[in-house]
């Protein structure tokens, strides 16, 4: 399948024919993917479809056997994960991606690593300008926490917090990296319907206020259908379908993949 | 009906979680906004001042025969800080620190005797050799994790013990390589103060390390390398940096150690020293600088303490024990720590440390102990 | 003139003991995912207990070695070994506050330190005569060296133990043992008593350790506090890693192979007058390093 809009403006994130094999298992097969500016893109698919594997290929934790990946037009296929992060790629993880031994605030401070100007050596020897930058970094961390409504928890160690709060903190940490595009891996896991709605609303706010793109792996199909601008569906490592939410909703193949034979539509 | 009951329960769970989160937030706010009373401030400053005076006066106060012991305690504390960077902050295992320290000791001794360099230059030499030694292991650590890395560090320590430290031209053979002190540090008293001063310098360095981007990056690696990478941290660079820093500090400690008795003897830097270093770090509390320092001091003083107890307290159990029991006591402390208080001395003193940090007695900060793992813990 | 055959035969002598200890290390690892640093001490202590039984409960006496005493002492030692292993598991391993491969390793290292220190206190760091099970040796055709009968005994015991263990892991209790190592939670759900399995594993490791201690003492016909650890632990660990930590047969092969390699290193050092200090230890260390860097899962182990 050709890339979505090969003649439009450069997508923020683009993947072309990504395939990866683990031992005898073809985990991904020829996946094409694109996210345009200001878009919220959803990735659906049953468990084991390869969604997180795809994320790991995009992040750089796995090396695909074939295929290439671009961030804002730059080919990142050979780049390390931290280099891709520096190009504005942010991501959350299924097991909460936070530093367990730190507090919430400290997590947001570490997350801003890329944006701290002084070199590591300057930091060790207590050069005066480092203190000033530290202040700025802390202030920014507080801003993000305020935005996410987590300001009160700033000094709480991460280990004591409930799961839902942790997912919020994780998103806050990613926001602190000042990304162009955020990849969320099952952000609504463990949240109830109201929390989920609130979260999706917040995603839309973030998109509007900060101009970032969002890619979301989710199992909560109705919410994704409501929130996303474009949807990809993976099944057994291959793209089963892609398109606008309305089309995906009525897509029989997708419905069957989720709910078994005979299903006619998703919702 | 059944469905509604189910939904109710879910809502209840959600509400419970929200209550919990609010409670946590309230407690956190309280802890943050709390300020000690005037008496509290005075009391804290008083205790801190007293501790400072004791440390500074220690070399003067102890009988002359023990002045070198004070220097040794300070040097062990420096080694503990070096171990802490690697084991506590970076979460890497090191059973090879005897090699880093030994290499530093012999590097410095060589610089002093064979190259006739002045003492500060010899310490720089010690730092360099320690760094090189640590980077060699660091390179291996990039490929191996957890258990296998531990085995490699063991190999390293044994290799140093059997081969490197037996090269006569470098280490002077069995009798060791002389490591004379400069004239301005000739007196044991001055040397002890010098070692304490170096310890203070490294304490400040450690404080800046954890308060700056490099140190935070290193600590982030410990729990989950992928998360750190997703935040733009170059995992390889910062892992190697952790080894480099640890090696430099250990090397300088080695240089200082050799010049206490003014000779660096190969027998002193065998694998068992690595075990002592690891034990004192774990018992002190890996991850806490004050904990590991106390661990270092304890193990430096332990043989003498046991000996003195044996001589002075003519009562069982002291009549039965003397310095030969020291390894047993050390091993016992290690096991007790691993079983009961994995955070070590730091965990036991958590309340005291909180109070001294001008927080409330109960606002305890968690210490980590040896890294429980995260990604890459299994071999 | 020492030939290759001589080197091999001499190598098998120490290699056989390496393998016994390696087998214990591999067993504990396969069953609990812990590298048992105290495996050597699981041999030293029973050997000393056997010694005490044979000297009539004196700490420094001469062991009486009539057949009866010897067998009683052996039996006692095996029981002590099993008990020691189970004790380590119950008192230390089960109670670790934070469980990870590294903390377990450090814990077993702590046990090793404690055991060797206590032995030094009770028994004084002095070597004592320890009898061999079968004295004397025979001339192997075509070789210069005499092969001790003790070595043959050790090899037989080794083969027997390795075969039994390899079989064990194919029987239901053995599979249950493996299950508890790989997926303790799932095993528990299946009704397998994880703690029971671990006790079994450590008990068996203790018996193996005792065998290694009794037979290892016979190699040099002497024992001293911590002798199993100081002489055999590093080579045994190397042998186990070389063979693959999860393979019983690998552990045996690795230990024997290492014995030969170490002997060869000794020989090369002597013949070519290389002057490398402590060639056996250096050889063992180099092998371990190479294995860890090139193929950490060893010859027969499964890639982690």
């Amino acid at each position: 399948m050709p890339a979505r809009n090969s003649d439009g403006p450069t997508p923020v994130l683009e993947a072309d024919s990504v395939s990866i094999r683990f031992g005898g298992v073809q985990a991904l097969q020829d996946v094409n993917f694109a996210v345009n500016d200001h878009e919220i893109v959803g990735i659906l698919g049953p468990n084991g479809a390869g969604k997180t594997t795809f994320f790991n290929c995009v992040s750089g934790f796995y090396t695909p056997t074939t295929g290439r990946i671009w961030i804002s037009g730059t080919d990142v296929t050979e780049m390390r994960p931290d280099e891709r992060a520096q190009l504005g790629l942010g991501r959350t993880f299924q097991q909460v991606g936070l530093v367990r031994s730190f507090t919430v605030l400290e997590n947001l401070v570490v997350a801003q690593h890329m944006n701290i100007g002084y070199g590591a050596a300057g930091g060790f020897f207590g050069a005066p300008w480092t203190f000033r930058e530290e202040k700025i970094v802390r202030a920014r961390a507080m801003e993000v926490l305020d935005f996410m409504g987590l300001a009160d928890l700033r000094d709480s160690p991460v280990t004591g917090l409930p799961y839902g709060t942790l997912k919020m903190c994780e998103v806050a940490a990613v926001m602190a990296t000042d990304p162009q595009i955020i990849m969320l891996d099952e952000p609504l896991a463990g949240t109830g319907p109201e929390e989920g709605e609130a979260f999706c609303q917040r995603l839309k706010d973030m998109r509007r206020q900060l101009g970032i793109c969002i890619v979301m792996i989710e199992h909560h199909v109705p919410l994704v259908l409501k929130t996303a601008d474009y949807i990809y569906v993976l099944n057994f490592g291959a793209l089963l379908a892609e398109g606008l939410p309305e089309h995906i909703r009525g897509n029989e193949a997708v419905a069957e993949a989720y709910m078994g034979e005979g299903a006619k539509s998703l919702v | 009906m059944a469905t509604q009951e189910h939904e109710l329960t879910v809502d209840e769970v959600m509400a419970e979680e929200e209550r919990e989160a609010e409670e946590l937030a309230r407690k956190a706010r309280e802890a943050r906004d709390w300020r000690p009373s005037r008496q509290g401030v005075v009391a804290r400053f008083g205790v801190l001042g007293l501790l400072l005076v004791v440390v500074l006066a220690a070399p003067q106060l102890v009988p002359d025969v023990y002045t070198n012991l004070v220097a040794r305690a300070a040097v062990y504390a420096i080694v503990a800080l070096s171990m802490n960077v690697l084991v506590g902050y970076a979460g890497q295992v090191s059973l090879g620190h005897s090699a880093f320290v030994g290499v530093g000791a012999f590097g410095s001794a060589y610089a002093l005797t064979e190259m006739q360099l002045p003492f500060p230059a010899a310490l720089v030499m010690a730092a360099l050799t320690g760094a090189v030694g640590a980077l060699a292991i660091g390179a291996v650590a990039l490929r191996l994790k957890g258990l296998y890395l531990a085995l490699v560090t063991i190999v390293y320590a044994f290799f140093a013990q059997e081969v490197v430290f037996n090269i006569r031209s470098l280490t002077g053979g069995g009798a060791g390589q002389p490591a004379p002190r400069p004239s301005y540090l000739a007196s044991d008293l001055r040397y002890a103060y010098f070692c304490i001063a170096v310890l203070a310098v490294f304490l400040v360095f450690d404080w800046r390390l954890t308060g700056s981007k490099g140190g935070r990056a290193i600590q982030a690696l410990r729990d989950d390398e992928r998360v750190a990478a997703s935040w733009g941290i170059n995992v390889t660079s910062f892992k190697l940096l952790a080894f480099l820093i640890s090696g430099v500090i250990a090397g300088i400690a080695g240089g200082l150690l050799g010049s206490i008795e003014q000779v660096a003897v190969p027998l002193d830097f065998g694998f068992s020293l690595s075990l002592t270093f690891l034990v004192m770090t774990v018992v002190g509390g890996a991850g806490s600088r004050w904990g590991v320092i106390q661990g270092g001091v304890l193990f430096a003083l332990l043989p003498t303490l046991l000996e003195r107890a044996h001589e002075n307290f003519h009562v069982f159990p002291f009549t039965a024990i003397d310095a030969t029991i020291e390894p047993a006591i050390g091993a016992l402390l290690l096991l007790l720590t691993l079983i009961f208080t994995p955070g070590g001395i730091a965990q036991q003193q958590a309340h005291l440390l909180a109070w001294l940090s001008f927080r409330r007695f109960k606002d305890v900060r968690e210490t980590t102990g040896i890294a429980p793992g995260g990604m890459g813990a299994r071999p | 003139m020492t030939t290759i055959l001589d080197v091999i035969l001499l190598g098998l002598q120490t290699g056989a003991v390496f393998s016994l200890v390696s087998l214990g290390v591999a067993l504990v690892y396969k069953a609990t995912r812990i590298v048992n640093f105290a495996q050597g001490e699981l041999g030293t202590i029973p050997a000393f207990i056997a010694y005490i039984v044979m000297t009539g409960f004196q700490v420094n006496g001469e062991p009486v070695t009539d057949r009866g005493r010897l067998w009683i002492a052996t039996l006692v030692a095996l029981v002590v070994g099993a008990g020691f292993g189970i004790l380590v598991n119950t008192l230390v391993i089960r109670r670790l506050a934070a469980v990870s491969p590294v903390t377990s390793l450090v814990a077993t290292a702590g046990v090793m330190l404690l055991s060797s220190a206590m032995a030094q206190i009770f028994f004084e760091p002095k070597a004592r005569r320890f009898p061999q099970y079968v004295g004397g040796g025979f001339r192997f055709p075509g070789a210069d060296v005499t092969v001790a009968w003790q070595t043959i005994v050790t090899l037989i015991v080794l083969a027997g133990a390795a075969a039994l263990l390899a079989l064990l892991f194919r029987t239901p209790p053995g599979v249950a043992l493996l299950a508890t190592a790989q997926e303790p939670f799932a095993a528990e759900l299946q009704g397998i008593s994880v703690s029971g399995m671990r006790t079994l594993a450590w008990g068996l490791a203790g018996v193996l350790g005792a065998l290694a201690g009794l037979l290892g003492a016979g190699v040099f016909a002497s024992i001293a506090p911590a002798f199993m650890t100081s002489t055999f632990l590093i080579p045994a660990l190397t042998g186990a890693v070389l063979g693959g930590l999860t393979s019983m047969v690998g552990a045996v092969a690795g230990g024997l192979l290492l014995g030969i390699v170490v002997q060869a290193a000794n020989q090369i050092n002597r013949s070519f007058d290389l002057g490398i200090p402590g060639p056996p230890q250096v050889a063992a260390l180099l092998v371990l390093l190479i294995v860890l860097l090139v193929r950490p899962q060893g010859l027969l182990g499964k890639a982690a």
Side-chain angles (χ1 to χ4, degrees), chain B residues 106-379:
Chain B
F106 286 112
S108 166
Y110 190 81
L112 288 170
T113 41
E114 303 295 328
M115 293 165 62
Q116 307 282 328
L117 290 177
F119 196 64
L123 284 183
V124 169
M125 182 68 150
L128 285 175
T129 44
V132 166
L135 280 177
I137 284 288
V140 175
L142 293 178
R143 299 177 42 190
L144 295 174
K145 303 218 201 304
L147 204 46
Y148 289 138
L149 179 62
L151 290 176
V152 172
T153 59
I154 294 171
V155 172
Y156 202 61
F158 268 105
F159 195 73
Q161 171 190 316
E162 297 290 331
V163 181
V164 178
F165 296 158
N166 278 325
I167 301 177
R168 286 198 152 253
S169 46
L170 287 180
T171 64
Q177 185 89 301
R181 299 185 210 153
S183 51
Y184 51 89
L185 289 177
S187 89
D188 288 349
L189 192 67
R190 282 210 181 165
Y191 196 68
Y193 276 116
F194 181 68
C195 291
I196 293 179
V198 175
L199 174 63
V201 165
F202 280 129
L203 260 175
V204 171
F205 178 84
D206 192 86
W207 169 60
R208 286 324 305 148
L209 178 69
T210 49
S212 75
K213 97 181 197 183
R216 285 190 298 254
I218 289 174
Q219 292 180 76
L221 291 181
R222 171 187 54 206
D223 288 346
D224 199 326
E225 284 179 17
R226 286 188 173 187
V227 175
S230 76
W231 288 344
I233 294 173
N234 185 333
V235 173
T236 305
S237 297
F238 281 96
K239 234 187 218 176
L240 287 177
L241 185 63
F243 277 93
L244 181 69
I245 294 173
S246 185
V248 164
I249 301 179
I252 293 180
L256 290 174
L257 195 59
S259 291
I260 294 180
E261 302 296 336
Q262 307 203 57
V263 65
V265 177
L267 267 179
D268 289 339
F269 296 102
F271 175 69
S272 55
L273 190 64
S274 266
L275 285 172
T276 306
F277 288 157
L278 185 67
V279 173
M280 78 190 189
T281 307
V282 173
V283 170
S288 157
R289 69 178 72 101
W290 296 113
V292 297
I293 284 180
Q294 288 178 69
V297 169
L298 174 65
F299 276 81
L301 300 179
L302 197 57
T304 313
L305 282 175
L306 290 170
E307 199 67 55
R308 300 268 61 195
H310 178 73
E311 283 175 25
N312 293 340
F313 301 121
H314 301 289
V315 128
F316 188 81
F318 296 110
T319 44
I321 64 176
D322 58 18
T324 59
I325 209 185
E326 188 246 328
I329 299 279
L332 200 60
L333 285 174
L334 173 68
L335 291 175
L336 289 174
T337 303
L338 287 175
I339 294 174
F340 295 114
T341 49
I345 293 177
Q347 186 178 345
Q348 290 155 15
Q349 293 179 347
H351 294 285
L352 183 64
L353 286 174
W355 185 78
L356 284 174
S357 310
F358 289 83
R359 297 196 298 274
R360 283 181 303 190
F361 211 59
K362 57 175 179 166
D363 291 334
V364 173
R365 278 296 187 88
E366 281 176 33
T367 43
T368 45
I370 307 186
M375 314 268 324
R378 295 185 80 86

Side-chain angles (χ1 to χ4, degrees), chain C residues 260-287:
Chain C
I260 297 174
V261 167
V262 162
Q263 194 57 39
N266 228 344
Q267 191 54 46
I268 293 176
N269 191 45
R270 229 179 299 149
S271 308
F272 296 107
D273 211 10
L274 289 177
I276 300 174
Q281 294 94 313
V282 173
L285 292 172
L286 272 178
V287 171

